[in-house]
Amino acid sequence: MTIKIDKPGMLTSLQDLGRYTYQQYGVIVNGAMDPFAHTAANLLVGNPEGEATLEVTLTGPKLTFGIDTYIAICGADLTPSLNEKPIENWRTISVKQGDVLEFGKCKWGCRAYIAVAGGFDTKREMGSKSTYLRAGIGGYKGRALKEGDTLSVCTDGHSFHPISINWFVSHELRAVYSNKNTIRAVKGRHFELFTKDSQTAFFNEGFKISTQSDRMGYRAEGNALQLEEQREILSEPVLFGTVQVPSEGKPIILMADRQTTGGYPKIAQAAYVDLPKLAQAKPGDSIVFQEISDEEAQINYIIQKIQLNYLKTGIGLKNRER
Amino acid sequence: MFQDINYFRFGEAGILMEFGHEVSEEINQQIHEISRWLNENPFDGFIETVPAYTTLTVLYDPMKFVHPEKSAFELAKNRIEMRIESMPKESASAGRVIRIPVCYGGDFGPDLRNVAKLNKLTEKEVIKIHTEKTCYVYMLGFAPGFPFLGGMSSEIAAPRLSSPRLSIPKGSVGIAGEQTGIYPIETPGGWQLIGRTPLELFRPDDNPPTLLEAGDQVEFYEITTEEYHSWEAEDDHQD
């Protein structure tokens, strides 16, 4: 009932949709960088969306299955193969005991999510299976996977037995991904404190993702953004996708492992539905922010959740109870 | 009782409530009271609160507020307002006083010299001023158990670093403006570091998982490098 890690890949860790209710104590939310790909992978193997998946970064791991099961890989295309035969992302895949899953070249994106039917058998710490790397809690021993680790799979009471697996997540649903990297965003709370030039530059001129970017946040390089006058801001909460600007003028886009609060001025808030594009952006990639209204961002969020519910229902109908 | 609350949208699933701009213990205590009340009496769709100096952020599930005419924000805001109206009028309970040992300067406080220079003081004077006053925990944030402490003397104030450090050791005590705080885990950060404490501020197995809670009072006292190391050794022994 285990999966053996033959090679760990660059950064492979267990993640779910995050650790909530502890932000008042400064405990970060954590969770998958690309919540859409994570959720889709879970749904494809009949798991609830909040189950943990393996988040794989750029260089994928090599895994040997000690169990017959179903898996799904969503997100970045890191050319996965099963027993050296190429397999596709966004599909349910049947694996047998002894099968070897490997990854090759990164063709597109940055982070892929591997879900296994039944989910990974690991304790929820403070309500979540997500690996909080900096604090060393959650996931597999609070750390990224290493060679020789073995992950247990939950098999109790799981009844995923699809009638056929000749189906996949439609391209329409995945359309959040494009190579243009336009990130829709709403004005942040401190937008008006920036100079007119900086306000215009933020929404019109592009930025490059710096090499100083990780699960906590991405530094964006471009025209330095300046406040009308230097001032200290009182620390207050930040969210996934909050764009804050330290005094040197380079925006920081906060990601899954963001701190709970920040003291730098917030120029914008990236739309939730475009976070997957950011999660799949690599250092050196370009992004352009496009302004939308708060209302539009919230409606897009609700539409995406409804689409995921359709996907969930569709997959449920293709499953048979044994 | 709380008539001056402004409500703002914060992302797709958040509401930021602003209680003016003035930093005061009284307003901050009100924020923690409302925060506690909402956590104890959650509405359908309520996720969590994140209290700060003059703001309280409420996170909610917009899918619980899908309506043909009204936005999820308006409906969730309405639920919060109704909850606040039903709050009993009682005074906040006084926080605990917690004493925190700090080894100042040297490798533990690489910015102590800079903080002294900025304020035209000696390092010794900075330490004296830092340990003299009782501080108040306005909020926990940024990192697990990181206390934002108010009440520090402005005589030792120092701005944040213009570019944050990529890694700050666990236990580091820092200054940003007129705030002081402690880094509970190794993390990037932009505060000026003046010393380090051997105490564990983040305790994931405890409930709550932190040494300090918002509303507590904190007193710093100076220890030597030897005391710091023996304290750490003692902690290791206890594990």
Side-chain angles (χ1 to χ4, degrees), chain B residues 2 19 30-38 56 84 87:
Chain B
F2 311 108
F19 295 67
Q30 279 186 9
I31 289 169
H32 293 298
E33 266 180 73
I34 296 178
S35 174
R36 261 196 305 274
W37 178 252
L38 289 173
L56 177 63
I84 292 175
M87 265 182 81

Side-chain angles (χ1 to χ4, degrees), chain A residues 192-234:
Chain A
E192 305 302 333
L193 301 181
F194 287 84
T195 63
K196 284 279 167 285
D197 283 354
S198 292
Q199 291 178 4
T200 315
F202 182 79
F203 279 121
N204 291 287
E205 287 160 33
F207 293 93
K208 220 166 99 178
I209 306 290
S210 135
T211 50
Q212 280 180 21
S213 299
D214 56 18
R215 283 186 46 89
M216 190 173 180
Y218 290 3
R219 290 209 182 190
E221 279 168 353
N223 278 350
L225 304 174
Q226 301 300 339
L227 293 176
E228 203 62 65
E229 54 179 306
Q230 262 331 298
R231 54 189 280 179
E232 292 280 328
I233 303 280
L234 281 173

Side-chain angles (χ1 to χ4, degrees), chain A:
Chain A
M1 306 301 162
T2 58
I3 298 171
K4 192 166 151 279
I5 314 299
D6 302 321
K7 281 183 199 158
M10 196 173 103
L11 175 65
T12 304
S13 68
L14 285 171
Q15 296 295 340
D16 60 18
L17 287 175
R19 183 172 281 110
Y20 284 93
T21 76
Y22 294 99
Q23 286 196 85
Q24 57 182 303
Y25 301 113
V27 177
I28 68 168
V29 174
N30 214 204
M33 288 281 275
D34 181 341
F36 181 83
H38 160 89
T39 303
N42 267 331
L43 296 180
L44 283 167
V45 296
N47 289 346
E49 52 205 273
E51 186 47 68
T53 62
L54 270 182
E55 182 181 274
V56 165
T57 319
L58 287 167
T59 319
K62 184 180 175 187
L63 313 170
T64 305
F65 290 86
I67 179 182
D68 292 356
T69 187
Y70 293 98
I71 62 163
I73 305 167
C74 295
D77 186 354
L78 309 178
T79 53
S81 64
L82 196 65
N83 301 329
E84 299 181 351
K85 277 189 205 125
I87 52 171
E88 280 179 59
N89 277 9
W90 306 100
R91 278 181 182 276
T92 307
I93 289 160
S94 163
V95 294
K96 301 285 171 223
Q97 191 174 355
D99 281 358
V100 177
L101 175 69
E102 272 181 284
F103 292 85
K105 258 176 53 190
C106 172
K107 264 167 68 180
W108 177 87
C110 188
R111 292 175 173 91
Y113 294 82
I114 310 170
V116 55
F120 294 97
D121 186 12
T122 175
K123 185 174 103 193
R124 282 182 204 276
E125 254 184 299
M126 301 174 82
S128 165
K129 290 185 176 179
S130 283
T131 316
Y132 183 177
L133 293 167
R134 279 181 214 281
I137 65 163
Y140 184 85
K141 298 182 179 174
R143 62 166 168 79
L145 294 179
K146 283 192 216 162
E147 190 183 323
D149 288 347
T150 46
L151 289 166
S152 300
V153 177
C154 303
T155 44
D156 291 0
H158 194 70
S159 61
F160 185 67
H161 303 289
I163 297 158
S164 135
I165 50 171
N166 194 22
W167 37 271
F168 52 90
V169 178
S170 78
H171 286 273
E172 218 167 84
L173 256 181
R174 296 182 236 164
V176 287
Y177 297 126
S178 91
N179 51 10
K180 273 188 188 161
N181 282 322
T182 299
I183 310 295
R184 287 165 289 179
V186 303
K187 282 178 186 169
R189 245 166 83 70
H190 306 114
F191 185 80
E192 305 302 333
L193 301 181
F194 287 84
T195 63
K196 284 279 167 285
D197 283 354
S198 292
Q199 291 178 4
T200 315
F202 182 79
F203 279 121
N204 291 287
E205 287 160 33
F207 293 93
K208 220 166 99 178
I209 306 290
S210 135
T211 50
Q212 280 180 21
S213 299
D214 56 18
R215 283 186 46 89
M216 190 173 180
Y218 290 3
R219 290 209 182 190
E221 279 168 353
N223 278 350
L225 304 174
Q226 301 300 339
L227 293 176
E228 203 62 65
E229 54 179 306
Q230 262 331 298
R231 54 189 280 179
E232 292 280 328
I233 303 280
L234 281 173
S235 287
E236 61 176 47
V238 291
L239 302 174
F240 199 165
T242 298
V243 186
Q244 54 173 16
V245 185
S247 49
E248 63 179 353
K250 284 183 199 168
I252 298 173
I253 310 160
L254 296 168
M255 301 298 286
D257 281 358
R258 67 198 172 278
Q259 64 274 28
T260 58
T261 59
Y264 293 120
K266 300 167 187 169
I267 193 165
Q269 176 68 39
Y272 178 84
V273 291
D274 284 347
L275 295 177
K277 287 190 210 171
L278 283 168
Q280 299 299 352
K282 290 185 282 283
D285 284 0
S286 305
I287 52 165
V288 180
F289 289 101
Q290 183 200 343
E291 190 186 343
I292 58 166
S293 70
D294 282 291
E295 189 106 319
E296 204 180 340
Q298 191 167 49
I299 288 167
N300 288 341
Y301 173 99
I302 291 171
I303 290 171
Q304 194 194 59
K305 293 282 178 188
I306 290 170
Q307 285 173 336
L308 279 168
N309 280 341
Y310 281 139
L311 182 65
K312 194 174 179 176
T313 310
I315 290 165
L317 291 172
K318 284 164 181 142
N319 190 15
R320 85 180 122 99
E321 293 284 335
R322 225 177 233 179

Side-chain angles (χ1 to χ4, degrees), chain B residues 21-228:
Chain B
H21 298 280
E22 188 201 339
V23 177
S24 86
E25 285 188 27
E26 200 194 335
I27 290 169
N28 188 255
Q29 277 164 359
Q30 279 186 9
I31 289 169
H32 293 298
E33 266 180 73
I34 296 178
S35 174
R36 261 196 305 274
W37 178 252
L38 289 173
N39 280 284
E40 285 162 11
N41 303 279
F43 52 86
D44 191 26
F46 170 87
I47 296 173
E48 66 178 314
T49 54
V50 199
Y53 281 99
T54 57
T55 63
L56 177 63
T57 296
V58 177
L59 299 181
Y60 65 99
D61 177 6
M63 299 309 285
K64 299 280 185 190
F65 302 99
V66 178
H67 188 279
E69 278 145 35
K70 286 182 177 162
S71 71
F73 164 76
E74 283 173 80
L75 293 167
K77 170 178 176 269
N78 191 252
R79 295 311 297 273
I80 296 170
E81 285 172 327
M82 279 163 58
R83 276 290 184 280
I84 292 175
E85 272 172 35
S86 69
M87 265 182 81
K89 284 176 184 144
E90 56 185 44
S91 60
S93 54
R96 306 166 298 170
V97 178
I98 292 170
R99 301 191 76 228
I100 294 184
V102 180
C103 180
Y104 289 93
D107 290 343
F108 287 171
D111 302 318
L112 179 64
R113 185 171 300 170
N114 193 33
V115 171
K117 218 164 97 184
L118 278 169
N119 291 292
K120 299 190 174 66
L121 297 166
T122 65
E123 294 184 20
K124 276 216 166 96
E125 285 168 323
V126 173
I127 297 166
K128 185 167 174 284
I129 294 167
H130 195 252
T131 50
E132 242 166 24
K133 276 197 173 175
T134 303
C135 297
Y136 169 78
V137 183
Y138 276 95
M139 58 185 270
L140 299 176
F142 171 70
F146 185 107
F148 285 83
L149 299 167
M152 187 189 83
S153 167
S154 60
E155 290 170 82
I156 55 170
R160 282 187 177 79
L161 302 174
S162 60
S163 177
R165 282 190 173 94
L166 293 177
S167 175
I168 286 177
K170 169 177 146 179
S172 295
V173 177
I175 288 176
E178 290 181 21
Q179 313 169 91
T180 180
I182 311 158
Y183 287 90
I185 59 168
E186 191 181 309
T187 167
W191 291 31
Q192 307 232 20
L193 309 181
I194 59 166
R196 202 180 294 174
T197 178
L199 289 188
E200 292 284 343
L201 276 87
F202 177 45
R203 303 163 175 209
D205 296 328
D206 294 355
N207 186 23
T210 51
L211 170 69
L212 299 171
E213 285 182 68
D216 285 344
Q217 308 277 342
V218 168
E219 284 170 7
F220 292 103
Y221 65 98
E222 190 180 8
I223 56 168
T224 63
T225 317
E226 291 73 33
E227 284 171 317
Y228 178 93

